[in-house]
Amino acid sequence: MHRIPLKAWCVLLLVGVAACGGESEPTPSGVPGAPRSVTATPGDTLVTTSWSAPENEGNSPIQRYVVRALRNGAVAHSQEGTSTSLTLTGLTNGETYTLVVAAVNAQGEGPASAPSEAVTPRVIPGAPREVTATPGDRSAEVSWSPPEETDMPVTGYTVTVRQGETVVVAQTSTELHATVSGLINGTAYQVTVAASNAVVAGPESAPVAVTPVSVPGAPRVWVHSRTATVLSFAWEAEDTGGSPITGYRVVLRQGDTVVETADTTETLHRFRNLTTGTPYRFVVIAINAQGEGAPAEFEEQRPCAIPGTPALLQAQPQDGQLILTWSVPADTGGCPIASYRVDVSEGGGGPSTRFETITETRLVVTGLPNGQYHVIEVFSRNEAGLGLNPARVQATPYSAPGLPGSFTATPGDGTVLLEWTRAPVDGGPLWRYVVTVEPAVGDTDTFYLSPDDVSRRLDGLVNGTTYTFTIRADNRAGQGPTATTQATPMAP
């Protein structure tokens, strides 16, 4: 049996203690433990790192730290320091590193820390120079020069447009210019440009002012007034293009012939001494500092006067309605009649029913009470407006007559006496009675009788022949129902 020397026992004892006691006890060699909480902040070809000291310094105080920069798992650069922070220089901008830190004491270098988060050294690009912004139509053309060169190339730019403190547009570009659209003409904006490299964006340039502008849009046009020889047009510039309107150019054409051209700062113009009823086309162009805008061309218009009174107005009464008819006025004012306005009111100033945009010369007015007379006025309208003098008529709606009562036929020698009682009416007078006979009396089979008649003798009949008689009452509202009777004339 061999004895183990005392020195060997001591070594074994130290190994056992280290194995059982963890980091709170010195390592077998007495070196420090691993530093903790390594952080890294990138800079220009450098990284500033900091950490916490190991919980275990080993058998002697920590003398220094070794910081290693790893790229793709391999040590790319290392540097030493005595404090718990260090700026590691000589790195390559744009490359990604992780950092590990090891503590060193008199016994040697301890284990490395856990790696830091990945970090990339970089140069912050400068601000672009010589920024300009040229206004356009709801847009701005922005151009600039690149910032001073660094060892990291610029990969792109961000153009930012603000209205006050509000970002309106943020647009990227890889060129030294950009067109920013979607702006509002006449609104003042501030434009800045910032450069970016593969890692980081730089500061914005000094802001430049720009106000988008364009030529004006087409004005909104309407007819202001007209007479038989004058056309007056008015207009409004709805889109100034963002620049004040300095004037207007107005043109009047007859077909392809220019009748008159004028420049004005007003928004109304009269063309005089025109030919009544002749169609003319009006064009107006708004002008600002940017130039002439889009033309507004108004539909053809004719100089004319308002029309006269519609002719031959008639009202045919019917059951609960009136059938109105009339003719075009003799004086149309020089322009075609476009429509008619019909006013119907109860006699004595009752409520009226108005029918606008009547283009025909016939109208059936329904829903009227029978027996109530109505006043009807019809106005004509042309391009110049509504005529002042209407055609006027009064009428009373009523229904067709009822059935004549007690219709009898009393025969005699070659004759028959027809008798009846008056047909009832609802609001309108009888026009006539109509009597028919079958077979005919001679060449006549229909007799038209006075509305006051209540009997009629028909002579010249053939004894022994049976005759069929009908009677109805008519008025302007229509024909009433028919009553029928028969009789056979006989000699005494």
Side-chain angles (χ1 to χ4, degrees):
M1 183 175 186
H2 297 285
R3 284 176 170 245
I4 298 175
L6 179 60
K7 185 176 182 179
W9 278 111
C10 292
V11 172
L12 291 172
L13 180 62
L14 288 172
V15 172
V17 171
C20 297
E23 280 197 354
S24 62
E25 299 295 333
T27 59
S29 60
V31 297
R36 300 164 296 144
S37 305
V38 180
T39 62
T41 303
D44 183 7
T45 68
L46 57 83
V47 171
T48 300
T49 181
S50 61
W51 59 89
S52 298
E55 292 183 353
N56 175 18
E57 292 187 350
N59 287 341
S60 62
I62 293 173
Q63 297 174 341
R64 65 185 184 279
Y65 293 93
V66 180
V67 180
R68 294 179 175 89
L70 307 181
R71 189 170 65 203
N72 298 324
V75 177
H77 192 74
S78 66
Q79 196 168 318
E80 296 183 1
T82 57
S83 67
T84 56
S85 64
L86 181 142
T87 298
L88 190 64
T89 60
L91 304 181
T92 302
N93 284 335
E95 295 289 347
T96 300
Y97 299 88
T98 57
L99 304 183
V100 293
V101 183
V104 181
N105 64 8
Q107 280 67 46
E109 181 178 318
S113 67
S116 69
E117 295 288 337
V119 65
T120 304
R122 74 289 187 276
V123 175
I124 298 176
R129 301 167 295 158
E130 301 171 350
V131 177
T132 62
T134 303
D137 183 11
R138 295 179 291 276
S139 65
E141 185 70 30
V142 185
S143 60
W144 58 89
S145 298
E148 297 289 344
E149 291 187 6
T150 66
D151 66 350
M152 290 190 70
V154 171
T155 57
Y157 298 90
T158 299
V159 179
T160 303
V161 180
R162 292 179 174 85
Q163 184 181 358
E165 299 298 322
T166 303
V167 174
V168 177
V169 177
Q171 184 171 317
T172 60
S173 175
T174 57
E175 306 292 335
L176 294 175
H177 58 84
T179 300
V180 181
S181 57
L183 306 181
I184 299 174
N185 286 339
T187 300
Y189 298 94
Q190 298 290 320
V191 181
T192 60
V193 184
S196 300
N197 58 30
V199 179
V200 68
E204 292 183 335
S205 64
V208 295
V210 65
T211 301
V213 291
S214 71
V215 296
R220 182 175 66 90
V221 184
W222 63 93
V223 176
H224 179 265
S225 63
R226 76 183 80 209
T227 67
T229 59
V230 176
L231 281 175
S232 298
F233 294 92
W235 59 89
E236 178 184 17
E238 297 182 308
D239 177 10
T240 67
S243 179
I245 300 296
T246 58
Y248 299 93
R249 178 163 295 121
V250 296
V251 180
L252 190 69
R253 290 189 174 94
Q254 181 183 346
D256 294 330
T257 302
V258 174
V259 176
E260 182 179 339
T261 299
D263 291 328
T264 180
T265 58
E266 304 296 327
T267 56
L268 185 148
H269 190 78
R270 290 181 175 85
F271 298 96
R272 306 177 186 277
N273 301 319
L274 305 180
T275 302
T276 301
T278 298
Y280 294 89
R281 288 186 297 119
F282 174 72
V283 178
V284 59
I285 300 170
I287 305 169
N288 65 10
Q290 309 305 308
E292 294 185 0
E297 183 169 341
F298 202 62
E299 61 191 14
E300 285 189 338
Q301 300 293 319
R302 301 171 177 84
C304 52
I306 59 175
T309 303
L312 305 176
L313 174 61
Q314 294 183 341
Q316 178 183 344
Q318 289 196 338
D319 186 7
Q321 64 184 25
L322 295 174
I323 300 177
L324 308 177
T325 58
W326 61 90
S327 299
V328 176
D331 178 14
T332 66
C335 287
I337 299 299
S339 64
Y340 298 92
R341 194 187 83 187
V342 179
D343 289 350
V344 180
S345 60
E346 291 186 0
S352 65
T353 303
R354 175 169 295 176
F355 299 83
E356 305 282 355
T357 64
I358 302 300
T359 59
E360 305 296 329
T361 56
R362 181 180 186 274
L363 177 66
V364 179
V365 184
T366 60
L368 304 178
N370 287 333
Q372 170 67 57
Y373 87 90
H374 291 75
V375 177
I376 299 96
E377 293 182 328
V378 180
F379 298 81
S380 52
R381 184 193 302 273
N382 65 8
E383 295 176 21
L386 192 67
L388 300 178
N389 300 311
R392 184 180 290 106
V393 70
Q394 295 183 4
T396 302
Y398 49 82
S399 62
L403 183 70
S406 303
F407 184 40
T408 61
T410 304
D413 185 8
T415 184
V416 168
L417 176 63
L418 301 176
E419 296 177 296
W420 61 91
T421 59
R422 288 180 59 83
V425 293
D426 180 15
L430 286 177
W431 184 13
R432 66 187 177 184
Y433 288 103
V434 179
V435 175
T436 66
V437 57
E438 174 64 32
V441 180
D443 294 332
T444 304
D445 61 359
T446 302
F447 300 87
Y448 299 98
L449 309 181
S450 164
D452 296 325
D453 289 342
V454 291
S455 66
R456 175 65 181 266
R457 181 179 296 277
L458 298 181
D459 297 321
L461 307 183
V462 177
N463 287 335
T465 299
T466 299
Y467 292 86
T468 300
F469 305 92
T470 67
I471 189 171
R472 75 166 191 269
D474 291 351
N475 63 12
R476 293 190 63 189
Q479 300 175 353
T482 299
T484 304
T485 189
Q486 290 183 324
T488 303
M490 297 292 293

